[in-house]
Amino acid sequence: MAGLAAQNNINGPSHASVVTASKTLGQTQVNSSNSSGSRTNSDRQQVLRHQQQRLLLLRHAAKCPHEDGRCPVTPHCAGMKRLWKHIAECKDQKCLVPHCVSSRYVLSHYHRCKDVRCPVCGPVREAIHRSHEKQRQMQALKQSHRDALNTVPAPVPNSSVTA
């Protein structure tokens, strides 16, 4: 599985989507066909949230420019950067590095998944889309401010000077 991390590159800005997704993924509804009780449904929701968060954290770590321990977005960045680097090289299907096998699995699923209603990938793609939209809006706002500053007329010198 060498190069899986690079192959499964999740494109787009990373900071806003991690923050946005952390706030909204908890609201994801999961429809379970298992009617054995809310405990199983609750466990399933927790697993889905963890998979979604893992995808977004790995995506962030792959793109974050900050050095280890200096990321202002998430305290998990440094650990996820180490995991991302490990995943890129790991081929062991029984790897004992924490989160390696499960992360490779969810990355592989995300890469192949085309189902817009997928309970794992759908909310992640929505969070990334919202992040892209927010970034576009911020860039447009910055550009309009720059344009406004460039169109301010130069001050006219006062011609009514008395001697």
Side-chain angles (χ1 to χ4, degrees):
M1 266 220 195
L4 180 64
Q7 174 187 357
N8 288 305
N9 188 11
I10 304 170
N11 297 319
S14 58
H15 304 304
S17 59
V18 169
V19 174
T20 301
S22 295
K23 293 177 184 173
T24 61
L25 288 178
Q27 301 167 1
T28 303
Q29 295 298 316
V30 179
N31 297 324
S32 175
S33 59
N34 186 349
S35 60
S36 65
S38 62
R39 176 75 176 147
T40 303
N41 191 32
S42 175
D43 290 347
R44 176 81 175 131
Q45 284 181 319
Q46 186 175 9
V47 168
L48 291 172
R49 270 195 305 276
H50 282 129
Q51 290 175 327
Q52 293 162 346
Q53 289 171 342
R54 179 73 49 79
L55 283 169
L56 290 166
L57 285 168
L58 285 168
R59 175 180 176 267
H60 168 83
K63 297 178 174 301
C64 183
H66 298 284
E67 297 296 322
D68 281 355
R70 300 195 189 277
C71 176
V73 177
T74 175
H76 304 293
C77 185
M80 287 293 133
K81 282 184 178 193
R82 286 189 297 275
L83 180 59
W84 181 258
K85 186 176 181 178
H86 170 80
I87 287 171
E89 303 297 324
C90 185
K91 297 176 185 175
D92 185 359
Q93 291 183 353
K94 294 181 181 179
C95 181
L96 297 178
V97 171
H99 310 295
C100 174
V101 174
S102 62
S103 294
R104 285 188 292 156
Y105 172 81
V106 76
L107 280 168
S108 177
H109 170 82
Y110 182 87
H111 183 68
R112 291 187 328 267
C113 184
K114 304 298 180 216
D115 183 2
V116 294
R117 296 172 313 202
C118 175
V120 174
C121 305
V124 170
R125 288 190 173 103
E126 289 172 14
I128 292 169
H129 178 74
R130 282 191 304 274
S131 172
H132 287 164
E133 289 300 315
K134 193 171 190 176
Q135 188 176 47
R136 279 187 211 109
Q137 289 173 351
M138 291 300 292
Q139 288 173 343
L141 184 61
K142 286 179 184 178
Q143 186 60 46
S144 67
H145 284 162
R146 275 185 243 139
D147 293 347
L149 289 173
N150 290 336
T151 59
V152 173
V156 177
N158 190 354
S159 60
S160 60
V161 176
T162 56

